Structures are given as structure tokens and as C-alpha cells.
Amino acid sequence: MSLKTKFPAKIVPFMVRFWCAGILTFVLASQPIWGQNCDLPRVAAEFSLLKNDICEGQIINIDNTTLENGHTNIRYIMDWGDGIRDTVMGKQKMTHQYNLSSFDPCGEDNVQMEMKLIAIPLDCPSKQHNVTKPVFVTFKPRPDFSSKIEICIASPAVTFTNQSCPSQGLNYRWNFGDPASASNASAEKNPTHTFSGTGDFTVTLVDSNVCGADARSKNIRVVGLPKADFSFIVDPATACLPNPIGDFKNATQRPGGKDPDLCPTKHFPAIPRSVLRFENHPAG
């Protein structure tokens, strides 16, 4: 007897649906469902880390030490406190790198983050638990300073204004590029240096803290005093009063510099003078 004669065409679809429903019921029965393990104790979220003070850009590692208390299907969410979250299934090590680009490095020397681990048992979400711990992330040094970039040798002292970040927790080491001076180095925050002579000097500031060191260099030019001088021409053929002299030329020598008035006139050496004597002779 054929299937078609034993089971009419209208009955076959219903039998297929029945078989599928039976298979689905078996699969669901073999899997935990929400509420199935709510008689178990609540999970106790916990994690450990080697230290809670790290440097900007450093990778932090945590160990998930949550007490799962019989729950077998747990989702873990780690909120690192900087706007980033990671989600994993099951207990496992987790890592993160803190990037402080969105924070102001010129305030405090570190930023406090709140790390939160959330443990959610999927068989009974009401038994979830979370734990929060602080972590302190220290900024790397960002050296910078300002000063005059060109000075006159008549006033060779320069004060340097430290503009490094962060504003706290840094050690400073200055080198003024002037080994001929009485003091070519300083550990002050805003030092003053008197340059020993004219020329170009490379001033370097090195900042350091627990997260390392970095340097910034700038050039300072010290220009010398102008050497005042002049020249003139006397034509013997017309060296008679009232107009015996012409073509006075300023021969002052100014050292190289962007500002021609950097060294004021009051610092010029005395101008050499020529005394000329003219006599008025009768024609012929």
C-alpha cells in the first residue's frame, strides 16, 4: 500500500508539523531556561589585578575570580571606566589599554577610573552581581616651555617659563647649551640663565616621572652690540667752504638678528669722530 493511499494528502503536513514540534521540545528540554536555576545562590562577582596604579598606554590584566555558585551559563561585562565595555561568556582573563587622549593632561598627574565587572547568569538573571574597583592612570610627561628666542648680549639673562604637562609629579632637567657659562644646567621649574656670549644656543628641557621621560628643545639666539662707524668723501677740487664734504655713509655694523632694534642705541660704543679743518683761500 502506498503512502498516498494510507495517509491522505491533507494529513501529511500535520504529521510533519507534529514531528518537528517533538524534536523542538526535546532540544528545549535538554537546555537550561531562564528561571530554571533560580534556586541556586546568587553569583559573587570578583576580579583581581596586580596593581591599581598604571601608566598611560600601559596594558592592564585582570583575573576573573567570580564565585559562580553552580550557575553554568554566565555572561561577564567589564566596564573599564573610560567609555569602553567588553563582554565575554565564561570566566577568562581580560586585558585593556588605557588611552587618555580624551582627558586634559595639564591638570592632575593622573585620572581615576572605576572598573566594574558585572556577572549575569543567563539561567537566572535576577541572581546577577557586580563589583567596582578604582584604577589610577598616570599621564606620560609632555615637556614644553616658552622664552624669548632672540636677546641682546647687553642683557644676556633669560627666564624660561615651564609649560609642561601634567603640572604635578614631574622632575625637570634643563640644559642651556652653554658650556662656557658658570652654570649650564638646572633642576628648577622656571630657571633663569645668563648666556656667556653671542651665538645660537640649543636649550633642552627633559621631563620625567614614574611613566618615563621626554624632551623638548628650542633655539635661542644672542646677538652682539652694533659697531658704530661712518665714512665720507672729500673732493680736493671742491674742498672749499661752504660745501666741501659730501656722501656721508653710515657704516654701522649690526650683528645678524631678526629685530634690528634689539640692542638699543644707548648701548652703542662711542662713535669715532673725525676733526676736519677747512681754510678759505682766495681765488687763484
Side-chain angles (χ1 to χ4, degrees), residues 55-105:
C55 292
E56 174 186 7
Q58 183 178 349
I59 295 177
I60 188 171
N61 297 278
I62 70 163
D63 288 323
N64 188 338
T65 57
T66 297
L67 294 177
E68 297 185 332
N69 292 328
H71 297 274
T72 58
N73 194 14
I74 301 178
R75 175 184 293 135
Y76 291 97
I77 301 173
M78 173 57 78
D79 187 335
W80 299 100
D82 58 355
I84 298 178
R85 281 187 168 197
D86 288 335
T87 301
V88 298
M89 294 299 298
K91 285 176 27 175
Q92 54 184 285
K93 291 180 180 292
M94 304 178 76
T95 63
H96 183 65
Q97 185 176 31
Y98 282 99
N99 184 346
L100 300 183
S101 59
S102 60
F103 295 86
D104 180 12

Side-chain angles (χ1 to χ4, degrees), residues 24-40 71-73 121-126:
L24 180 61
T25 301
F26 174 78
V27 171
L28 292 177
S30 64
Q31 299 295 322
I33 60 175
W34 284 11
Q36 180 177 340
N37 290 329
C38 281
D39 55 335
L40 294 174
H71 297 274
T72 58
N73 194 14
L122 298 184
D123 52 5
C124 187
S126 63

Side-chain angles (χ1 to χ4, degrees), residues 106-199:
C106 294
E108 300 292 332
D109 61 338
N110 62 54
V111 176
Q112 179 177 342
M113 308 284 188
E114 294 295 331
M115 304 168 58
K116 178 188 286 188
L117 176 65
I118 306 170
I120 306 174
L122 298 184
D123 52 5
C124 187
S126 63
K127 295 298 180 73
Q128 66 178 278
H129 183 241
N130 67 78
V131 61
T132 301
K133 294 183 180 182
V135 61
F136 301 89
V137 187
T138 300
F139 288 99
K140 292 181 178 180
R142 292 165 169 80
D144 196 10
F145 63 93
S146 64
S147 70
K148 295 179 179 179
I149 61 173
E150 193 173 78
I151 63 171
C152 179
I153 189 60
S155 301
V158 178
T159 297
F160 297 90
T161 302
N162 198 322
Q163 298 175 325
S164 300
C165 293
S167 58
Q168 303 176 12
L170 292 178
N171 299 312
Y172 308 109
R173 188 170 73 251
W174 293 84
N175 185 296
F176 303 109
D178 186 17
S181 63
S183 177
N184 190 37
S186 175
E188 297 180 13
K189 184 175 182 179
N190 299 300
T192 297
H193 178 71
T194 300
F195 287 94
S196 60
T198 60

Side-chain angles (χ1 to χ4, degrees), residues 149-151 219 221 223 255-262:
I149 61 173
E150 193 173 78
I151 63 171
N219 291 326
R221 173 168 290 183
V223 300
K258 295 180 180 180
D259 184 1
D261 298 320
L262 185 64

